[in-house]
Amino acid sequence: MLKHVLDFGAVFLVGGAVCALAQLLIIKTKLTPARVLIIFMIAGMLLQVFGLYQHIYQFAKAGISVPIVGFGAALVKGSIEYTTQYGALGAIAGGLSATAFGVGLAVFASYLVALVFKSRTKY
């Protein structure tokens, strides 16, 4: 029981820190949310390239894998795995293959939401 509480605490702290950092970047700088997303995705890619992502993941689990940081790391991990098997073309196919399920699920969920709710402009 205590292990689960500690795991949930680590997920909450790291995930919250990632989200708080993103919010601070949006509020305190002139960066748009889209640019912050790209920065975080590239950060995840760099963490994976330098072998640091897995160490953070062992501690934080969903706290680091659910935000866009995890998507960037998954792109690089898939690209590295496929490159060793298939060569240069594997670098492209690997990233797409590693993230296909998550992207597909997001598209499907968006479609379901679009069926249920009627879109309209804010003004």
Side-chain angles (χ1 to χ4, degrees), residues 6-93:
L6 293 175
D7 285 344
F8 288 135
V11 168
F12 178 76
L13 287 175
V14 174
V18 169
C19 293
L21 179 59
Q23 192 63 42
L24 283 172
L25 286 172
I26 292 169
I27 292 170
K28 297 293 184 182
T29 67
K30 293 187 184 286
L31 293 172
T32 63
R35 290 183 184 198
V36 173
L37 279 172
I38 297 301
I39 290 168
F40 276 53
M41 187 175 74
I42 291 171
M45 296 169 106
L46 291 173
L47 287 171
Q48 184 68 34
V49 165
F50 293 114
L52 300 172
Y53 182 81
Q54 192 61 31
H55 297 293
I56 298 169
Y57 178 79
Q58 288 173 351
F59 171 73
K61 297 175 183 57
I64 195 73
S65 67
V66 171
I68 195 73
V69 177
F71 182 76
L75 281 171
V76 170
K77 184 176 181 183
S79 294
I80 290 170
E81 288 174 1
Y82 273 57
T83 300
T84 58
Q85 292 177 356
Y86 304 109
L89 286 179
I92 297 168

